[in-house]
Amino acid sequence: MGHTASKNNTYAYHPAKSDDNVYLRSEFKAMDTDADGKLTRQEFARLLVFLGYDGDYDRLEILLRALNKHSSDYVKMDEYMELLEYNPDLMRRTSRMRVIFGAFDDNKSGFADKSVVGLRLRQMGYQVNEAMRQKFEDLDENKDGKISYEKFLRNHLELKGFLS
C-alpha cells in the first residue's frame, strides 16, 4: 500500500486490489447511515462528489450500469469496491479524504492515533486548542485513543450536509 503521484502532482492513495481495503469499506459504511449494506444511486453520487469526484456523470452512469449486475437502483459494498479498485482514474479523482486521513494513519489501517493527529497538525503549523482536542475525543468512539476513517468521514459528511 502506498501513495503514488498523479498527473497533477497531488498524491492519491491507491490500495492494492487484493487487500481487504479498509478505506473503501469505511467510505461505503460512512455513507450507509441505515446500515442496510446498500447505497442509492443518489447517495453513491453524493459520496463520490464529497470524496472529490468532479467528472462526467454520464460516464459514471455508464460505469454503474456495467457494474451493477442486478440492474437495481442500489450500489452494494462489493460493487463500490470493485468500481473504485479497477478504475485508477476514478480512485485518483476520489482520493481527497483518503489523502487527508492518510497523513495521520501511519500504517494505513483505517485508524489514526489521536496523539499522532495532534502532533501532525502542530507540525503543519496549526494550533491544537481545547476545541480541537475535544473533537478528537468525540471522534474516538470507543475511547481506545484512535480515530477511525469511517467516523472521520461520517463527521465530515454531516458537517458538509452530504447525509440525508
Side-chain angles (χ1 to χ4, degrees):
M1 280 196 211
H3 295 274
T4 56
S6 68
K7 291 181 213 173
N8 62 1
N9 292 325
T10 60
Y11 286 85
Y13 175 71
H14 293 283
K17 289 182 176 109
S18 61
D19 287 348
D20 179 25
N21 193 301
V22 70
Y23 276 64
L24 297 181
R25 287 183 189 282
S26 294
E27 290 164 6
F28 187 93
K29 288 178 182 179
M31 192 64 170
D32 184 17
T33 57
D34 61 2
D36 66 354
K38 56 189 177 182
L39 301 177
T40 65
R41 287 176 174 264
Q42 295 81 13
E43 289 171 327
F44 172 76
R46 283 197 316 260
L47 175 60
L48 291 187
V49 168
F50 173 77
L51 293 171
Y53 183 75
D54 61 353
D56 178 1
Y57 288 95
D58 291 334
R59 172 90 175 118
L60 188 57
E61 185 63 30
I62 291 168
L63 285 171
L64 272 172
R65 272 192 237 131
L67 182 67
N68 195 318
K69 297 163 184 75
H70 309 294
S71 299
S72 71
D73 289 328
Y74 296 97
V75 176
K76 295 180 181 175
M77 184 182 296
D78 61 330
E79 294 170 327
Y80 175 75
M81 292 182 65
E82 184 178 335
L83 180 65
L84 272 85
E85 287 176 342
Y86 293 98
N87 289 279
D89 183 58
L90 185 58
M91 180 69 88
R92 179 186 57 76
R93 293 168 77 178
T94 60
S95 67
R96 179 178 51 180
M97 298 305 282
R98 286 179 224 118
V99 169
I100 291 168
F101 193 82
F104 307 106
D105 181 5
D106 288 335
N107 61 5
K108 303 302 176 249
S109 65
F111 294 90
D113 188 285
K114 287 187 305 192
S115 63
V116 170
V117 173
L119 173 66
R120 298 271 162 74
L121 286 171
R122 284 189 295 280
Q123 289 171 340
M124 293 175 190
Y126 291 97
Q127 287 277 50
V128 178
N129 59 29
E130 189 55 39
M132 292 173 88
R133 281 189 281 277
Q134 184 57 52
K135 183 49 106 175
F136 301 160
E137 289 301 318
D138 294 345
L139 291 173
D140 180 8
E141 289 181 302
N142 62 1
K143 305 307 176 204
D144 65 352
K146 297 180 188 294
I147 299 169
S148 74
Y149 181 54
E150 181 181 343
K151 181 65 177 173
F152 169 81
L153 280 177
R154 181 154 300 155
N155 178 69
H156 282 79
L157 284 161
E158 289 170 355
L159 287 173
K160 301 292 184 183
F162 280 82
L163 294 179
S164 45

